Amino acid sequence: MHHWTKYVRVVEILRIVCLLQASVVYETFLTDAHLRFEANLATFYRIRKDSPALNLYFPRESLKPHSRQESSSKSAFRDHCETLYTRSAGAWRDAGLSGLLNEIANSSAEVPKWLGVSSSCVLALLRWVSSFHSSLFPHLTLSSEEMTAEFSQVLDWSDCAVRGFAWHPHTQKCAVALSDDSIKIYNPKSATTPTLKHRLQRSVAALQWKPLCASALAVACHNCLLVWHVDPTSLSTRPSSGCAQVLSHPGHSPVTSVAWSPNGPLLVSASPRDTALLVWDVAVESCVPLHRVGGGGVTYLSWSPDGSRVLAATPSSLFRVWETRMWTCERWPSLKGRCQSGCWSPDGSRLLFTVQGETVIYALTFTDNPGVPLMMSGGPKAATVVADLSETTLNTPDGDIMVGGEIQSLAWDPRGERLAVHVKGDAGAGRPAMIAVFKTQISPAFKLLPCGFVQGEAGTEPRLMQFNPNYQHGAQLTVCWSNGKITHVPFCFMSAGNPQPGLGGSPSFPLTQGRPADYNNQTLYTELIS
Amino acid sequence: MSETACKHIILMSRSRMLLIMCCLLPECLSLLTSASAIFSFILLCGVVLMVGFFNLEYYTVVPSIACSKIALLGQVLHPRQFVHSLVHCIMGVVVAWCCAFTIGGRYRSLGHPCTQDESSSGPEMCLNEYHLVLLLAGAFIGYSHSLVGVVYNMNYVSFHTMQQYKYLRFKGALPLVVKASAVQALYCLRSFLLLYFFMGYAPRAWICKTLDLSINSSIHSLDSVSSLLDLSLLYHLWISGTFLLLTWYITVLLFRIFVTEVYSFPVQSTFTEDAHQCLPKVITGTQPMILKFLALQDLALLSQHSPSRRLEVFSLSQPGGHPHIWTALSKECLSLLSDLTERLVAHHDTVATNGRAKSQSTGSNKRSTTSSEGSVTSVGMEDMKTPRPSALIRTPGSVFLRSSVGAGLRTPLTTPFTPDLDSPFSSPALRRLTGPLEPQGALSPGFSSIQSPHVMRRGPKLWSASTDSQLNGSPPPSPGPAPSPSQAQLKPSFLVTFLQNRKDQVKNFLAKRMLIMYLFNKLPEASSQALFADSQVHIWALQGLSHLVAASFSEDQYGIVQTTLPTILSTLLLLQEAVDRHFKLPHTSSKPGHCSCSMGDDSYKTLRFALRSTLKTAVYRITATFGGHLHAVQMSAEHRKRLQHFLEYKE
């Protein structure tokens, strides 16, 4: 492990000017720069012809967020002549036991004295207990919106015009969740862009397409999960809410993360208020809650691409790795903070994760023993630090810039060749949020070496990023910017390892397969092969 | 299925019963103070054992779904069910007696000494009504447990999509069981109190008469509003009802958990004497049903999770080099799937010819009443393999007469070779008459009217799986193979038309009576549920096949899967078409609805949705793995077009 800035100077800083078209990152390495550059230039125009532009722009002014505050609008319309019984029933329905007690305690004129006093006492007791509880788990004091903003993978979620983005795993199709609680689906091959709206689709925190399916899209909403079935052949631009399955479970709100199993019908969902991880069988709308003590909730989920493990982060300094054969879990306690983000290597053997308040990336390596409980499978005993992204100054032709800082999210491209790290930055200290890109190699040994930065137009910062799983010529990173633009940043390269079946690039490109030998000297992190 | 394996399974189940008992032991440990407490404890253990025995005896993996009210009534009034209800009634009384004994106080015994009036000399025995009420409540809850069990298919054992260890599954389900038993006890108590309020005098008088007890006139009798609203009494009734249901539900829960536990069958064995325990053999077997289910579950899991066992499936036999294992597995899966396709097509045709749709209820009614007699578990197999009349032909020569099997079936000449058709309809002449009149519903056996190529193709396959109907011993529920309608159309006899007219007349007459209509009217969705009642096997077959085919892309060294690929694809696409058509029928809802009834497992109601989704995923799994290579596979133009849709992700 070396400090990353030692080598960052080797790499040319690339400023990507985000026009409304695709741009290509030219990876100019010292050794094979010429070769690569020519090859990239040759393929550049082909790519531009191949992939229709899906550059989207959502100015914030065009999106009117809902000003639907439940309590405020209700008080405006409330008929105060309702009987106590009606009001109590309403309070019970809306806010449960505490609401009912509150209602009774507030209307002391209408109830017998003993009832009013006793309900005030019980209410006070409840508040005391819940304050004790939330002193254990401070996140429970947050409101639902704040909680979603806190635990979402999107940087500054509440301020964001684009709140979620999901590529379809098999086709060039994507879904964009906007701050007006609608979801738009873009398909370059079709002229219609369906807009999905639903009564329950509020404060969308995450969305994901179902693998091995053309139409199903899971959406994590305020107090339920929605699974939309958008018929790709339909010409309708406003699918009715009948196309959505509503999956809700008592106590499971707000939902902040969803993950489909890569090869099966299962969907897992997480809520910071619910200690259980829910495993849904979506077709039959049934769920199995997996309760474990500790953590106080589940914030972020990531299913490994081979389907064997699931990362489940909690709001406290603990995360779990579930094994999906028998659904047993491995606890990883005693972090410095909560696990903020994580991503799996394509073969599911490595997990990279980041911790809130730290500027390093950790790695866990799992030996592949499906079916054996994790505790016995000889899994990793400790996480290793693979990269340190603490603040540093780089002098570029444009002047010195500060980079580094806390990490918001991680993304690994589907071939395992590029790792994008979303660095939070600090506007006050002059460090903008940016995306650092690393080259990675998984086999025979895990290697990580710096590659470059992705920056937006002046004054914008990246909010959300995802790799396109269907990019033929390398990797393509889709970035949603703070000004509402969505751009795609392609990285053109030939796979160094064996091209995966069905995914491998076209062999007609005149690119060299060989990697320069002195790459090993430049690596930021190399695993020791013992 | 070989008998040793059956015995093995039964032995395993017995030992599980012992385990169940052990799990219930600690509950009562604190009460072990006196000899009478030990006695009541032994009684409770006996009850739990008995409940376990009944679970074992009555469980089924294919639910019997009543398509009309009358069918449900038939199920409830069936002798087998009567025995079940009676025994549970008695066991309810026993548990309630134990509860009364444990509570003590005023509930302790049935009689208590009292001085009725001053004139009589000495004390005499009076009836303790509190004790009686508790016993009657126990009996009522026991009976309602049995009744609710029939209505909500509590004997149905469902398999879970996600695997968990037994302890964790038990721990996860325990709170639900406690809640369910408390709520169910509350409902039962309400009904019981109403019943006792109106009818309470009858059992009281009867007990007094038989046991020569007198009624204490100084105490108010309990069938009045004021005395029934005694909070302490209600609480005791409720708590003992909850205890009763809790012990029984836990027994049911443990039984379900243990019986659905994943069992890993060996794919192949080195010794020939173990060959019958191997996956290819077990999967083609039919009895007991649970073994077939476990084998298919194992197939689905091995295809997904264990590369080493997949390699065994793709391996060749050592002398000869034949892919026996793959052939056996894929053949069985494909035959299951094409059976379902036929069933769906038949149902669709019935519904499409509008007038026949209603007559189906009688057909399914007949089926469900027959299904509850004999061995419940066996009937599902008969359903699944309904068009297997050739199973009864035991002449080995028929294997070689591949094409003539299908043709031979339709001639009455084959019937002399089917001596075990002892049903009243077995006479060929009568069958020819009744054949066209038989309602050709989804579950009615008149299937041979569908002359899809699968029936012909499956001829020899069916013969190979023919040994079960005699082992089973139960009469086949189907009235035998019906002759093809084409033949009937060729010879439209006078008798047929006469019978048809008579039937219509009777139908019209009955249709005017309200009660009859109520009883015979089809329950909504029931026919659709009944069609997919055993779809768990189809789901596993789809998962297993698609995962194996997808894995074969990189793991199959000898290319044995390639030879079957066209068949697999066409079977999947045919099924896809049939399922799509089924979901477009007017009476099938497109989304799973939910009724959260207490302990009854209603997952069979949503199996069709799971099947639909699994089917699509299975086709996508194959197309996503093979991609453009599928263009090289031979198939019909229509299927190619359909597959192209899948390749473009437009389904």
Side-chain angles (χ1 to χ4, degrees), chain A residues 27-67:
Chain A
E27 293 172 354
T28 48
F29 275 85
L30 301 176
T31 45
D32 59 343
H34 296 296
L35 245 176
R36 290 229 159 195
F37 189 77
E38 281 168 24
N40 281 334
L41 210 60
T43 56
F44 179 69
Y45 294 102
R46 290 180 62 166
I47 296 164
R48 290 285 294 278
K49 253 185 275 172
D50 287 356
S51 59
L54 253 182
N55 293 291
L56 310 166
Y57 180 41
F58 303 99
R60 200 169 308 156
E61 300 77 45
S62 70
L63 305 168
K64 281 184 209 153
H66 285 288
S67 57

Short mmCIF file of all heavy atoms in Angstrom, two decimals, chain A residues 27-67:
data_model
loop_
_atom_site.label_atom_id
_atom_site.label_comp_id
_atom_site.label_asym_id
_atom_site.label_seq_id
_atom_site.Cartn_x
_atom_site.Cartn_y
_atom_site.Cartn_z
N GLU A 27 -7.05 7.73 -22.31
CA GLU A 27 -6.17 7.35 -21.22
C GLU A 27 -4.75 7.45 -21.70
O GLU A 27 -4.24 6.60 -22.41
CB GLU A 27 -6.50 5.94 -20.77
CG GLU A 27 -7.88 5.93 -20.15
CD GLU A 27 -8.33 4.54 -19.87
OE1 GLU A 27 -7.62 3.60 -20.24
OE2 GLU A 27 -9.39 4.41 -19.26
N THR A 28 -4.13 8.53 -21.35
CA THR A 28 -2.80 8.78 -21.87
C THR A 28 -1.77 8.35 -20.86
O THR A 28 -1.39 9.12 -19.98
CB THR A 28 -2.65 10.27 -22.17
OG1 THR A 28 -3.12 10.97 -21.04
CG2 THR A 28 -3.44 10.67 -23.38
N PHE A 29 -1.35 7.17 -21.00
CA PHE A 29 -0.28 6.69 -20.16
C PHE A 29 1.03 6.89 -20.88
O PHE A 29 1.09 6.92 -22.10
CB PHE A 29 -0.50 5.23 -19.80
CG PHE A 29 -1.39 5.09 -18.62
CD1 PHE A 29 -2.75 5.10 -18.77
CD2 PHE A 29 -0.85 5.03 -17.35
CE1 PHE A 29 -3.56 5.02 -17.68
CE2 PHE A 29 -1.67 4.94 -16.26
CZ PHE A 29 -3.03 4.93 -16.42
N LEU A 30 2.02 7.02 -20.08
CA LEU A 30 3.30 7.39 -20.68
C LEU A 30 3.80 6.33 -21.64
O LEU A 30 4.39 6.62 -22.66
CB LEU A 30 4.33 7.60 -19.57
CG LEU A 30 3.96 8.68 -18.55
CD1 LEU A 30 5.00 8.75 -17.47
CD2 LEU A 30 3.82 10.02 -19.27
N THR A 31 3.53 5.10 -21.30
CA THR A 31 4.16 4.03 -22.05
C THR A 31 3.50 3.78 -23.39
O THR A 31 4.15 3.82 -24.43
CB THR A 31 4.15 2.75 -21.22
OG1 THR A 31 2.85 2.62 -20.68
CG2 THR A 31 5.19 2.82 -20.14
N ASP A 32 2.23 3.55 -23.39
CA ASP A 32 1.62 3.17 -24.65
C ASP A 32 0.67 4.27 -25.15
O ASP A 32 -0.35 4.02 -25.74
CB ASP A 32 0.87 1.85 -24.51
CG ASP A 32 -0.20 1.93 -23.46
OD1 ASP A 32 -0.16 2.87 -22.63
OD2 ASP A 32 -1.09 1.07 -23.47
N ALA A 33 1.06 5.47 -24.83
CA ALA A 33 0.16 6.58 -25.13
C ALA A 33 -0.16 6.67 -26.60
O ALA A 33 -1.33 6.79 -26.99
CB ALA A 33 0.77 7.88 -24.65
N HIS A 34 0.86 6.56 -27.43
CA HIS A 34 0.63 6.78 -28.85
C HIS A 34 -0.28 5.72 -29.44
O HIS A 34 -1.25 6.02 -30.11
CB HIS A 34 1.97 6.79 -29.60
CG HIS A 34 2.82 7.91 -29.16
ND1 HIS A 34 2.45 9.21 -29.38
CD2 HIS A 34 4.00 7.95 -28.51
CE1 HIS A 34 3.38 10.00 -28.86
NE2 HIS A 34 4.31 9.26 -28.33
N LEU A 35 0.09 4.49 -29.11
CA LEU A 35 -0.70 3.38 -29.60
C LEU A 35 -2.17 3.54 -29.23
O LEU A 35 -3.07 3.46 -30.04
CB LEU A 35 -0.19 2.10 -28.96
CG LEU A 35 0.44 1.08 -29.91
CD1 LEU A 35 0.97 -0.07 -29.12
CD2 LEU A 35 -0.56 0.64 -30.94
N ARG A 36 -2.35 3.79 -27.97
CA ARG A 36 -3.70 3.87 -27.44
C ARG A 36 -4.45 5.04 -28.07
O ARG A 36 -5.62 4.92 -28.40
CB ARG A 36 -3.66 4.06 -25.94
CG ARG A 36 -3.18 2.83 -25.26
CD ARG A 36 -4.11 2.49 -24.14
NE ARG A 36 -3.95 1.10 -23.81
CZ ARG A 36 -4.80 0.42 -23.07
NH1 ARG A 36 -5.86 1.03 -22.60
NH2 ARG A 36 -4.62 -0.83 -22.81
N PHE A 37 -3.74 6.13 -28.16
CA PHE A 37 -4.42 7.32 -28.66
C PHE A 37 -4.94 7.11 -30.06
O PHE A 37 -6.08 7.39 -30.37
CB PHE A 37 -3.45 8.50 -28.60
CG PHE A 37 -4.14 9.80 -28.89
CD1 PHE A 37 -4.92 10.39 -27.91
CD2 PHE A 37 -4.05 10.40 -30.12
CE1 PHE A 37 -5.58 11.58 -28.16
CE2 PHE A 37 -4.71 11.58 -30.38
CZ PHE A 37 -5.47 12.18 -29.40
N GLU A 38 -4.07 6.53 -30.90
CA GLU A 38 -4.51 6.29 -32.27
C GLU A 38 -5.68 5.34 -32.31
O GLU A 38 -6.65 5.55 -33.02
CB GLU A 38 -3.34 5.72 -33.09
CG GLU A 38 -2.37 6.80 -33.51
CD GLU A 38 -1.10 6.20 -34.05
OE1 GLU A 38 -1.16 5.04 -34.51
OE2 GLU A 38 -0.07 6.87 -34.01
N ALA A 39 -5.55 4.27 -31.53
CA ALA A 39 -6.63 3.28 -31.53
C ALA A 39 -7.93 3.92 -31.08
O ALA A 39 -8.98 3.71 -31.66
CB ALA A 39 -6.25 2.14 -30.61
N ASN A 40 -7.81 4.74 -30.04
CA ASN A 40 -9.02 5.38 -29.53
C ASN A 40 -9.63 6.30 -30.55
O ASN A 40 -10.84 6.35 -30.71
CB ASN A 40 -8.69 6.15 -28.26
CG ASN A 40 -8.59 5.22 -27.09
OD1 ASN A 40 -9.19 4.16 -27.11
ND2 ASN A 40 -7.83 5.61 -26.10
N LEU A 41 -8.73 7.00 -31.24
CA LEU A 41 -9.25 7.93 -32.23
C LEU A 41 -9.99 7.17 -33.33
O LEU A 41 -11.02 7.61 -33.82
CB LEU A 41 -8.08 8.73 -32.83
CG LEU A 41 -8.45 10.13 -33.27
CD1 LEU A 41 -8.94 10.91 -32.08
CD2 LEU A 41 -7.23 10.79 -33.89
N ALA A 42 -9.42 6.00 -33.69
CA ALA A 42 -10.07 5.21 -34.73
C ALA A 42 -11.44 4.74 -34.30
O ALA A 42 -12.39 4.74 -35.08
CB ALA A 42 -9.19 4.01 -35.08
N THR A 43 -11.53 4.36 -33.03
CA THR A 43 -12.81 3.83 -32.59
C THR A 43 -13.77 4.93 -32.17
O THR A 43 -14.96 4.70 -32.05
CB THR A 43 -12.62 2.89 -31.39
OG1 THR A 43 -11.94 3.62 -30.37
CG2 THR A 43 -11.84 1.68 -31.78
N PHE A 44 -13.25 6.09 -31.95
CA PHE A 44 -14.06 7.16 -31.41
C PHE A 44 -15.29 7.40 -32.28
O PHE A 44 -16.43 7.42 -31.81
CB PHE A 44 -13.22 8.42 -31.31
CG PHE A 44 -13.96 9.59 -30.79
CD1 PHE A 44 -14.37 9.61 -29.46
CD2 PHE A 44 -14.28 10.65 -31.60
CE1 PHE A 44 -15.06 10.70 -28.97
CE2 PHE A 44 -14.97 11.73 -31.11
CZ PHE A 44 -15.36 11.76 -29.79
N TYR A 45 -15.04 7.52 -33.57
CA TYR A 45 -16.17 7.84 -34.45
C TYR A 45 -17.14 6.68 -34.56
O TYR A 45 -18.33 6.87 -34.69
CB TYR A 45 -15.63 8.28 -35.80
CG TYR A 45 -14.87 9.56 -35.68
CD1 TYR A 45 -13.50 9.58 -35.66
CD2 TYR A 45 -15.57 10.75 -35.48
CE1 TYR A 45 -12.81 10.76 -35.50
CE2 TYR A 45 -14.88 11.94 -35.31
CZ TYR A 45 -13.51 11.94 -35.33
OH TYR A 45 -12.84 13.10 -35.14
N ARG A 46 -16.56 5.47 -34.49
CA ARG A 46 -17.46 4.31 -34.52
C ARG A 46 -18.39 4.30 -33.32
O ARG A 46 -19.57 4.03 -33.42
CB ARG A 46 -16.65 3.03 -34.55
CG ARG A 46 -15.93 2.85 -35.86
CD ARG A 46 -15.15 1.60 -35.83
NE ARG A 46 -16.02 0.44 -35.67
CZ ARG A 46 -15.59 -0.78 -35.89
NH1 ARG A 46 -14.36 -0.99 -36.27
NH2 ARG A 46 -16.39 -1.80 -35.72
N ILE A 47 -17.83 4.61 -32.20
CA ILE A 47 -18.65 4.62 -30.99
C ILE A 47 -19.75 5.66 -31.10
O ILE A 47 -20.91 5.43 -30.79
CB ILE A 47 -17.79 4.91 -29.75
CG1 ILE A 47 -16.78 3.82 -29.55
CG2 ILE A 47 -18.64 5.07 -28.53
CD1 ILE A 47 -15.67 4.20 -28.63
N ARG A 48 -19.33 6.80 -31.59
CA ARG A 48 -20.30 7.88 -31.70
C ARG A 48 -21.44 7.49 -32.61
O ARG A 48 -22.59 7.88 -32.41
CB ARG A 48 -19.62 9.14 -32.24
CG ARG A 48 -18.68 9.77 -31.27
CD ARG A 48 -19.43 10.51 -30.18
NE ARG A 48 -20.14 11.65 -30.74
CZ ARG A 48 -19.57 12.80 -30.97
NH1 ARG A 48 -18.29 12.96 -30.70
NH2 ARG A 48 -20.25 13.80 -31.46
N LYS A 49 -21.08 6.69 -33.64
CA LYS A 49 -22.14 6.24 -34.55
C LYS A 49 -22.99 5.16 -33.87
O LYS A 49 -24.18 5.12 -34.02
CB LYS A 49 -21.52 5.69 -35.83
CG LYS A 49 -21.70 6.65 -37.01
CD LYS A 49 -21.19 6.02 -38.27
CE LYS A 49 -19.69 6.23 -38.43
NZ LYS A 49 -19.13 5.49 -39.55
N ASP A 50 -22.29 4.26 -33.13
CA ASP A 50 -22.99 3.11 -32.55
C ASP A 50 -24.01 3.52 -31.50
O ASP A 50 -25.17 3.14 -31.55
CB ASP A 50 -21.98 2.17 -31.85
CG ASP A 50 -21.17 1.41 -32.87
OD1 ASP A 50 -21.48 1.59 -34.06
OD2 ASP A 50 -20.26 0.70 -32.47
N SER A 51 -23.53 4.27 -30.55
CA SER A 51 -24.41 4.51 -29.40
C SER A 51 -25.12 5.84 -29.56
O SER A 51 -24.50 6.88 -29.61
CB SER A 51 -23.57 4.51 -28.12
OG SER A 51 -22.60 5.52 -28.23
N PRO A 52 -26.41 5.77 -29.65
CA PRO A 52 -27.16 7.01 -29.76
C PRO A 52 -27.00 7.83 -28.48
O PRO A 52 -26.86 7.28 -27.40
CB PRO A 52 -28.60 6.55 -29.92
CG PRO A 52 -28.57 5.08 -29.99
CD PRO A 52 -27.25 4.61 -29.52
N ALA A 53 -27.00 9.09 -28.65
CA ALA A 53 -26.77 9.94 -27.49
C ALA A 53 -27.93 9.84 -26.52
O ALA A 53 -29.08 9.93 -26.90
CB ALA A 53 -26.60 11.38 -27.94
N LEU A 54 -27.60 9.58 -25.28
CA LEU A 54 -28.64 9.54 -24.24
C LEU A 54 -28.31 10.61 -23.22
O LEU A 54 -28.36 10.38 -22.03
CB LEU A 54 -28.64 8.17 -23.57
CG LEU A 54 -29.79 7.25 -23.92
CD1 LEU A 54 -29.67 5.96 -23.15
CD2 LEU A 54 -31.11 7.90 -23.66
N ASN A 55 -27.87 11.75 -23.71
CA ASN A 55 -27.51 12.79 -22.77
C ASN A 55 -28.75 13.57 -22.40
O ASN A 55 -29.46 14.08 -23.25
CB ASN A 55 -26.47 13.70 -23.39
CG ASN A 55 -25.18 12.95 -23.59
OD1 ASN A 55 -24.51 12.61 -22.62
ND2 ASN A 55 -24.87 12.64 -24.83
N LEU A 56 -29.01 13.61 -21.15
CA LEU A 56 -30.27 14.17 -20.68
C LEU A 56 -29.99 15.40 -19.84
O LEU A 56 -28.92 15.53 -19.24
CB LEU A 56 -31.00 13.13 -19.84
CG LEU A 56 -31.12 11.76 -20.51
CD1 LEU A 56 -31.52 10.72 -19.51
CD2 LEU A 56 -32.13 11.83 -21.63
N TYR A 57 -30.93 16.26 -19.80
CA TYR A 57 -30.78 17.50 -19.06
C TYR A 57 -32.08 17.80 -18.34
O TYR A 57 -33.13 17.90 -18.96
CB TYR A 57 -30.39 18.62 -20.02
CG TYR A 57 -30.19 19.95 -19.34
CD1 TYR A 57 -29.53 20.02 -18.11
CD2 TYR A 57 -30.65 21.12 -19.92
CE1 TYR A 57 -29.35 21.24 -17.49
CE2 TYR A 57 -30.47 22.34 -19.30
CZ TYR A 57 -29.81 22.40 -18.07
OH TYR A 57 -29.64 23.59 -17.46
N PHE A 58 -32.00 17.88 -17.05
CA PHE A 58 -33.19 18.19 -16.26
C PHE A 58 -32.92 19.45 -15.45
O PHE A 58 -32.39 19.36 -14.34
CB PHE A 58 -33.55 17.04 -15.32
CG PHE A 58 -33.76 15.74 -16.01
CD1 PHE A 58 -32.76 14.79 -16.05
CD2 PHE A 58 -34.96 15.46 -16.64
CE1 PHE A 58 -32.95 13.59 -16.69
CE2 PHE A 58 -35.15 14.27 -17.28
CZ PHE A 58 -34.15 13.33 -17.31
N PRO A 59 -33.19 20.62 -16.00
CA PRO A 59 -33.01 21.83 -15.19
C PRO A 59 -33.93 21.80 -13.98
O PRO A 59 -35.07 21.32 -14.08
CB PRO A 59 -33.37 22.97 -16.13
CG PRO A 59 -33.98 22.35 -17.32
CD PRO A 59 -33.77 20.89 -17.29
N ARG A 60 -33.41 22.27 -12.88
CA ARG A 60 -34.19 22.14 -11.64
C ARG A 60 -35.47 22.95 -11.69
O ARG A 60 -36.46 22.59 -11.08
CB ARG A 60 -33.33 22.59 -10.47
CG ARG A 60 -33.81 22.06 -9.15
CD ARG A 60 -32.81 22.30 -8.08
NE ARG A 60 -31.50 21.81 -8.48
CZ ARG A 60 -30.37 22.28 -7.97
NH1 ARG A 60 -30.40 23.24 -7.09
NH2 ARG A 60 -29.21 21.80 -8.35
N GLU A 61 -35.44 24.02 -12.47
CA GLU A 61 -36.63 24.88 -12.49
C GLU A 61 -37.81 24.16 -13.13
O GLU A 61 -38.96 24.45 -12.83
CB GLU A 61 -36.34 26.16 -13.29
CG GLU A 61 -35.21 27.00 -12.75
CD GLU A 61 -33.85 26.42 -13.10
OE1 GLU A 61 -33.65 26.02 -14.27
OE2 GLU A 61 -32.99 26.34 -12.20
N SER A 62 -37.50 23.19 -14.03
CA SER A 62 -38.60 22.52 -14.73
C SER A 62 -39.28 21.49 -13.84
O SER A 62 -40.35 21.02 -14.15
CB SER A 62 -38.08 21.84 -15.99
OG SER A 62 -37.27 20.74 -15.62
N LEU A 63 -38.65 21.15 -12.74
CA LEU A 63 -39.23 20.12 -11.88
C LEU A 63 -39.84 20.77 -10.66
O LEU A 63 -39.14 21.44 -9.90
CB LEU A 63 -38.15 19.13 -11.44
CG LEU A 63 -37.37 18.47 -12.56
CD1 LEU A 63 -36.17 17.77 -12.00
CD2 LEU A 63 -38.25 17.50 -13.29
N LYS A 64 -41.10 20.59 -10.51
CA LYS A 64 -41.75 21.16 -9.33
C LYS A 64 -41.88 20.07 -8.29
O LYS A 64 -42.65 19.15 -8.47
CB LYS A 64 -43.13 21.69 -9.69
CG LYS A 64 -43.08 23.03 -10.37
CD LYS A 64 -44.50 23.53 -10.60
CE LYS A 64 -44.54 24.40 -11.83
NZ LYS A 64 -45.85 24.39 -12.45
N PRO A 65 -41.15 20.16 -7.24
CA PRO A 65 -41.31 19.13 -6.22
C PRO A 65 -42.64 19.28 -5.52
O PRO A 65 -43.23 20.36 -5.49
CB PRO A 65 -40.14 19.39 -5.27
CG PRO A 65 -39.81 20.81 -5.48
CD PRO A 65 -40.18 21.15 -6.88
N HIS A 66 -43.08 18.18 -4.98
CA HIS A 66 -44.37 18.21 -4.30
C HIS A 66 -44.26 19.02 -3.02
O HIS A 66 -43.37 18.80 -2.22
CB HIS A 66 -44.81 16.80 -3.95
CG HIS A 66 -45.29 16.07 -5.13
ND1 HIS A 66 -46.47 16.36 -5.74
CD2 HIS A 66 -44.74 15.08 -5.85
CE1 HIS A 66 -46.63 15.57 -6.78
NE2 HIS A 66 -45.60 14.79 -6.87
N SER A 67 -45.16 19.92 -2.87
CA SER A 67 -45.20 20.66 -1.61
C SER A 67 -46.21 19.99 -0.70
O SER A 67 -46.87 20.62 0.10
CB SER A 67 -45.61 22.10 -1.86
OG SER A 67 -46.85 22.10 -2.52
#
